[in-house]
Amino acid sequence: MIIRAGTAVINGQICRPGWLQIAGRQILACGAGTPPGQASETTYVEAPNCIVVPGFIDMHVHGGGGGSFTEGNAPDVSASVAFHLRHGTTTTLASLVTADPAELLSAVSALADATRRGVIAGIHLEGPWLSPARCGAHDHTRMRAPDLAEIDAILTAADGTVRMVTLAPELPGSDEAIRRLLDAGVVVAVGHTDATYEQTQRAIALGASVGTHLFNAMPPLDHRAPGPALALLADPRVTVELIADGVHVHPDVVHAVIQFVGPHRVAVVTDAIAAAGCGDGAFRLGTLPVDVESGVARVRGTPTIAGSTATMDQLFRLVAGLGVDRDAALLAAVQMTSATPARALGLDRAGELRAGYDANLVVLDRDLQVTTVMANGDWRS
């Protein structure tokens, strides 16, 4: 199959026109201009008025379409993945919230199976080793300090499927936890933390390489006590997540962060919950009741934001609209929704439209609305 597009972002460059040759699950060849001559039986897909970009990679998402990853329930997992796939997310890291040890082990075991079946790309533990002072929409009564025995039990149950763990580095035992997780090949993220600037620097020196939803669930940046946000921004080894929905972070702050660190260090994430795509109403995130009003999710009876109802295509449009140079903004949006999260998670053959990579792509119209999605060489919408 050969896809001929009016515009395609190939190998990190805008090609007008551009083409991709797909064979099975893989991109066999791609480039700018006109594809080389092919056999008469070659199937062509024409998209002259469309933009083809790499499939979105969401490295922080709790659910969507009414389904949640919280318990690892197979129908819920499938519903969540299918919902976000329709919005261009071809690679999903399933995020869990704080839970008691038995519930956490059960969910990890179930999501490990989903990972082995190729439904998701792995597991993200957002908790339970977080700061009660910055609990956000997590159950603070179930938060606890890192314990190596619990970590080992989870890693055993996961059998290599945990890709990222968010923790608060000021908690006792966090240094040992970071070392153990890194030894197991797990990406360590700093988040839901009350850490100082120096404590965050130490975590980064130990190997933490991601900042979980920058600015949210951490102290605000202060000129005398800069806290974790500046430590994460200032270190070139760190990728920072941004929930660029206009609710969690002001669009001008999103733009400023991108200008400061560059799109190669920013991963746009949804942090979406089951409510995404379901309209306003009552939902749950773990043990906590959540109400969605005007598309904004909050812990019931509080002003605390409880994840988002966003989708990756929505966030793509927002960040692609930042700045005055439209081509530069398009390239930045592609980088932050695909290549940067792929690199942060160590995903091979994902995050770009490049020969030898997996055939994951999104076809957008001129308004950047999703028209169709390909995942592993199959059209899914």
Side-chain angles (χ1 to χ4, degrees):
M1 173 196 308
I2 291 181
I3 301 170
R4 294 190 287 207
T7 301
V9 180
I10 295 171
N11 297 338
Q13 302 294 322
I14 297 177
C15 301
R16 295 190 177 100
W19 60 273
L20 300 101
Q21 183 180 7
I22 311 297
R25 297 167 56 96
Q26 192 176 76
I27 299 171
L28 191 62
C30 52
T34 304
Q38 301 291 325
S40 58
E41 64 269 18
T42 299
T43 300
Y44 288 89
V45 175
E46 305 291 350
N49 299 314
C50 293
I51 304 168
V52 177
V53 300
F56 305 138
I57 298 173
D58 195 350
M59 60 189 283
H60 189 156
V61 53
H62 298 279
S68 173
F69 298 127
T70 302
E71 296 176 354
N73 177 273
D76 276 358
V77 171
S78 296
S80 300
V81 170
F83 168 76
H84 285 290
L85 182 60
R86 292 193 295 272
H87 290 272
T89 299
T90 56
T91 303
T92 298
L93 197 64
S95 300
L96 292 173
V97 294
T98 297
D100 68 31
E103 291 172 340
L104 191 60
L105 273 176
S106 175
V108 165
S109 297
L111 290 177
D113 180 64
T115 304
R116 287 187 288 267
R117 290 187 287 111
V119 179
I120 57 175
I123 304 167
H124 165 216
L125 297 183
E126 189 185 19
W129 309 303
L130 309 176
S131 168
R134 301 287 173 177
C135 60
H138 288 249
D139 185 344
H140 68 90
T141 66
R142 299 188 176 196
M143 290 179 173
R144 47 197 180 269
D147 176 80
L148 291 183
E150 182 179 25
I151 290 172
D152 285 339
I154 288 172
L155 293 175
T156 298
D159 191 24
T161 61
V162 171
R163 283 196 173 270
M164 186 166 72
V165 170
T166 297
L167 55 74
E170 73 274 20
L171 296 178
S174 62
D175 287 5
E176 294 79 6
I178 291 171
R179 294 188 185 99
R180 178 68 187 93
L181 291 166
L182 292 173
D183 286 345
V186 176
V187 174
V188 175
V190 173
H192 285 274
T193 177
D194 211 30
T196 64
Y197 180 73
E198 292 77 16
Q199 288 170 324
T200 308
Q201 284 183 311
R202 175 171 174 77
I204 296 168
L206 287 170
S209 58
V210 172
T212 294
H213 46 48
L214 188 70
F215 302 123
N216 296 113
M218 61 181 63
L221 196 154
D222 183 90
H223 62 292
R224 292 193 181 93
L230 185 60
L232 295 165
L233 285 168
D235 197 300
R237 295 171 290 184
V238 176
T239 299
V240 294
E241 294 180 352
L242 284 176
I243 309 172
D245 61 351
V247 175
H248 286 78
V249 184
H250 191 284
D252 287 347
V253 176
V254 172
H255 191 208
V257 169
I258 296 167
Q259 289 183 308
F260 181 58
V261 303
H264 66 289
R265 286 190 51 210
V266 175
V268 169
V269 300
T270 63
D271 196 15
I273 63 173
C278 295
D280 291 354
F283 300 87
R284 297 192 74 81
L285 180 58
T287 61
L288 300 183
V290 171
D291 291 321
V292 177
E293 296 183 11
S294 302
V296 179
R298 301 184 188 276
V299 177
R300 182 167 299 160
T302 79
T304 301
I305 300 173
S308 86
T309 61
T311 54
M312 286 295 285
D313 60 328
Q314 172 191 339
L315 305 187
F316 183 94
R317 288 189 291 274
L318 188 148
V319 295
L322 299 174
V324 295
D325 187 326
R326 294 188 64 181
D327 280 359
L330 174 63
L331 287 175
V334 168
Q335 176 77 36
M336 294 183 291
T337 56
S338 54
T340 297
R343 179 188 52 79
L345 296 174
L347 296 174
D348 295 328
R349 301 185 307 279
E352 294 187 72
L353 300 182
R354 184 183 294 270
Y357 276 47
D358 293 336
N360 295 324
L361 58 88
V362 184
V363 181
L364 305 168
D365 65 17
R366 290 177 174 174
D367 296 322
L368 304 183
Q369 300 287 336
V370 174
T371 65
T372 188
V373 179
M374 176 180 282
N376 294 316
D378 291 330
W379 295 111
R380 300 296 184 94
S381 59

